[in-house]
Amino acid sequence: MDQRPAEPQRSYSISPASLYGEFSLAGNRKVRCAVSLTERDLVVQRLASAPAGRSKVALGLKDCVGCRAYRPEDKADPAAYLAVYFYPLTPRWMSPGGSRHRAEHCFRVAALQDPRANLDEAEKWARAVRERAARQQSSRSDGGPMSMLSRPSRMMLLVNPQSGKGQALTLYNNHVQRMLDEAGVTHTLVITERQNHARELVREADLSQWDALVIMSGDGLLFEVINGLLERADWEEAIRTPMGVLPGGSGNGLAASVHHYSGASLVSTEELLVSCGFLLCQGLTAHMDLVSIHLSSGPRLFSFLSMAWGFVADVDIESEKYRHVGAARFTVGTLVRLASLRVYRGRLAYLPASEDDHSEAEGSRCNGQASSMDPSGDSPRPNTFHNSCHSNNSRKARRKQAASARSASGALGGPPDSLLPHLDQPLPSDWVVVQEEDFVLMLAMYQSHLAEDLLAAPDATPGDGVIHLFYVRAGISRGALLKLFLAMEKGAHVGTNCRHMVHAKVRALRLEPLSPKGIITVDGEVVEYGPVQAQVHRGLGRLITG
């Protein structure tokens, strides 16, 4: 029991003990403990002599994922056992912040000689611990539009065994299965066998059997699941199915975002998996923005993370050959691409997000203006388009365009794109057209992280209704671009005053590549190269954020 010492200044009279018992430790019957359950903590004090300050610990119920009572296999032993499972944040050596680690506390309940009575007592404690832990977790949602999964929860867990280093199943066996069992989460493991397997499965599945769909892979598998849900006849209900994410690939952008939204410090690899597993077991769900993507041919797609063109897309796809090194593939790919920097020609336009859009978004600090790092005047000036967003003429024009957009996408699932005209039609007057046509990259983000170590949109929240648009103009040096990406590891690139980078918060955008060759990615997946446009649909999906 190496958890935090009970704080001497805390007044337990504010949160009185609802249960008290004296038990021995399961691993050492000679050690007796006084155990008290308060509204916030499980307080354990050794009754044997111990150094001052070490004899009492308060185990925070906010870190508890589950509790169970059971009888031992030895039927001659009349005792029952109470096991409580915690994943507290513990400090890390040689680095700031903390990471979550498993801590099991098991007590032997043997006040009576009657095995049934001892089990009843242990079960009473287990129920009380679970109820209070759930209250601690649900209290986090009081200030925002969050809800909790039903308990006990039933989850479909989809695992791509080939993602990342090919270790997803090993990570599931070593961490995830035990954690879900401890939390009392019933889950069915589905191992995907081919591309679009998950998409086909969720398109036809009886979703009433599941409280949530959980994806353990890179970001590509969730892309399949979301588009499969929106291809269903009952898409409006299906897309409200809560979705959880566990990092099992090399990108893991959404998993890193979910961890970031919890307020925890940066972690990676298995520490990120444990954190996301803990948040999954907490079961808090939030609204998540989805972005509809129109290409020049084929049906529209729905995206949850990003759209990229130029440098970022090149690195993502060309680094596939280094997949065996995991997340480090992006570092290698970045250095390779910097050595031969490309410039792309194209036309970019966007519909800026207005003040009204952001005033509705919890935690949003956006000012409704495109924030260019270059004051030279070559980029769009913020005030030249802000007032026109609310004009009656522009609103009427958008209503007319919505009708044509519905006719284009009405045969497919998903909401209509009321902000987008057809790709071959001119843009409304309240859109901003970027004057430059030579770019190094364009990146549209709707979550905070592009990868585990890339905090691309530090102000983003899951359901703020905003696309964070970044573009870097031609003329930037290799050194300056490298500094930009190094700053992005901590989200500091927005404040670097790089005169070649522009950041705008938008609701819709259109990109028309003019270079004959290039790569466009959506959530890390290659899509058709050519004209593309996108619109955000605020809070369309549900994301388990803990």
Side-chain angles (χ1 to χ4, degrees):
M1 289 180 295
D2 56 351
Q3 309 308 305
R4 60 184 173 87
E7 302 163 25
Q9 71 272 22
R10 176 180 292 180
S11 172
Y12 285 102
S13 62
I14 298 176
S15 180
S18 56
L19 282 178
Y20 175 86
E22 294 184 6
F23 313 122
S24 59
L25 294 181
N28 187 350
R29 297 186 187 182
K30 294 181 180 180
V31 178
R32 297 279 296 172
C33 297
V35 183
S36 304
L37 179 65
T38 74
E39 190 64 29
R40 294 179 299 182
D41 301 292
L42 186 71
V43 183
V44 182
Q45 183 168 13
R46 294 195 181 195
L47 297 177
S49 61
R54 292 275 187 175
S55 63
K56 180 187 281 190
V57 292
L59 308 168
L61 294 176
K62 61 183 175 56
D63 297 323
C64 177
V65 300
C67 183
R68 71 184 184 104
Y70 62 94
R71 287 267 298 128
E73 294 182 2
D74 181 5
K75 300 306 179 185
D77 183 359
Y81 290 83
L82 175 70
V84 193
Y85 308 104
F86 295 86
Y87 284 81
L89 278 171
T90 56
R92 289 180 291 177
W93 289 99
M94 305 299 291
S95 61
S99 58
R100 294 197 180 273
H101 293 276
R102 180 179 182 272
E104 177 183 351
H105 298 268
C106 191
F107 306 97
R108 186 174 184 266
V109 182
L112 302 170
Q113 289 300 312
D114 180 3
R116 182 69 253 178
N118 287 330
L119 183 59
D120 288 344
E121 178 71 7
E123 288 177 339
K124 178 181 74 174
W125 275 81
R127 285 193 299 272
V129 169
R130 287 193 295 265
E131 289 169 1
R132 282 155 183 76
R135 284 203 289 268
Q136 288 297 306
Q137 293 149 18
S138 63
S139 66
R140 293 179 50 204
S141 66
D142 290 347
M146 303 181 77
S147 58
M148 288 195 71
L149 292 178
S150 61
R151 295 174 183 268
S153 300
R154 304 162 301 162
M155 296 182 180
M156 178 193 292
L157 176 57
L158 297 121
V159 176
N160 177 3
Q162 305 302 322
S163 61
K165 296 181 181 180
Q167 297 179 338
L169 276 177
T170 300
L171 292 171
Y172 165 79
N173 291 325
N174 290 348
H175 296 285
V176 177
Q177 183 177 24
R178 179 176 63 184
M179 189 181 292
L180 293 179
D181 289 344
E182 291 169 351
V185 174
T186 302
H187 65 283
T188 300
L189 179 66
V190 177
I191 301 173
T192 59
E193 300 172 354
R194 61 186 183 280
Q195 189 175 13
N196 284 323
H197 183 189
R199 187 173 190 158
E200 297 162 5
L201 191 151
V202 301
R203 191 166 55 212
E204 305 297 333
D206 177 8
L207 296 179
S208 65
Q209 298 182 48
W210 317 106
D211 299 306
L213 302 176
V214 181
I215 291 82
M216 185 170 181
S217 177
D219 295 315
L221 195 61
L222 183 57
F223 175 80
E224 288 189 22
V225 169
I226 288 173
N227 282 277
L229 292 174
L230 284 162
E231 289 166 356
R232 295 170 59 104
D234 64 343
W235 66 266
E236 290 182 271
E237 181 179 357
I239 198 59
R240 291 197 293 268
T241 304
M243 290 174 282
V245 59
L246 297 170
S250 49
N252 303 320
L254 185 59
S257 298
V258 168
H259 171 81
H260 174 72
Y261 300 144
S262 73
S265 58
L266 177 68
V267 295
S268 60
T269 60
E270 292 189 30
E271 289 182 347
L272 178 60
L273 175 61
V274 172
S275 174
C276 289
F278 170 78
L279 296 171
L280 178 66
C281 292
Q282 300 280 282
L284 281 175
T285 66
H287 290 246
M288 175 175 65
D289 294 340
L290 297 178
V291 171
S292 58
I293 308 286
H294 290 257
L295 306 169
S296 57
S297 65
R300 66 174 173 168
L301 307 172
F302 283 86
S303 168
F304 65 91
L305 183 68
S306 66
M307 181 170 68
W309 170 61
F311 185 86
V312 172
D314 293 348
V315 169
D316 193 3
I317 301 308
E318 294 174 4
S319 66
E320 284 282 345
K321 65 185 76 171
Y322 312 117
R323 177 178 289 274
H324 62 282
V325 301
R329 63 176 260 217
F330 299 110
T331 302
V332 176
T334 297
L335 296 175
V336 170
R337 183 47 42 222
L338 278 171
S340 180
L341 195 59
R342 298 167 180 159
V343 173
Y344 291 94
R345 290 187 59 79
R347 288 190 287 265
L348 179 65
Y350 56 85
L351 176 65
S354 67
E355 291 278 2
D356 291 344
D357 298 326
H358 297 296
S359 64
E360 297 174 2
E362 180 187 8
S364 175
R365 293 170 289 176
C366 173
N367 62 7
Q369 299 176 354
S371 56
S372 172
M373 302 304 171
D374 180 7
S376 66
D378 293 335
S379 301
R381 294 184 181 276
N383 294 329
T384 58
F385 58 84
H386 177 68
N387 292 334
S388 67
C389 290
H390 304 284
S391 71
N392 289 332
N393 289 337
S394 64
R395 288 174 184 253
K396 289 177 182 177
R398 283 206 294 270
R399 280 198 292 268
K400 291 180 180 179
Q401 289 144 12
S404 61
R406 280 193 293 271
S407 67
S409 60
L412 303 172
D417 293 319
S418 59
L419 303 177
L420 299 177
H422 281 281
L423 266 171
D424 58 358
Q425 292 181 350
L427 292 168
S429 59
D430 54 349
W431 282 55
V432 175
V433 179
V434 177
Q435 297 175 12
E436 296 85 6
E437 293 190 347
D438 293 325
F439 301 90
V440 170
L441 68 86
M442 186 281 296
L443 175 64
M445 293 291 305
Y446 353 118
Q447 303 295 336
S448 64
H449 280 69
L450 183 61
E452 288 183 14
D453 57 352
L454 287 178
L455 180 52
D459 288 343
T461 58
D464 57 12
V466 170
I467 298 173
H468 294 260
L469 174 64
F470 298 87
Y471 60 90
V472 174
R473 299 174 300 211
I476 189 171
S477 68
R478 293 178 177 86
L481 187 59
L482 179 58
K483 288 181 180 178
L484 206 59
F485 275 85
L486 290 174
M488 192 182 289
E489 292 182 4
K490 296 184 179 180
H493 58 295
V494 179
T496 57
N497 294 320
C498 173
R499 67 186 185 88
H500 292 91
M501 187 187 80
V502 177
H503 171 212
K505 297 179 180 181
V506 310
R507 297 174 65 196
L509 64 91
R510 176 184 286 183
L511 170 69
E512 298 178 60
L514 299 177
S515 296
K517 294 182 179 180
I519 298 173
I520 296 175
T521 59
V522 173
D523 297 344
E525 302 295 310
V526 178
V527 297
E528 176 187 8
Y529 185 71
V532 59
Q533 60 185 10
Q535 172 184 332
V536 65
H537 292 277
R538 185 176 178 185
L540 182 59
R542 302 292 183 271
L543 179 65
I544 302 174
T545 60

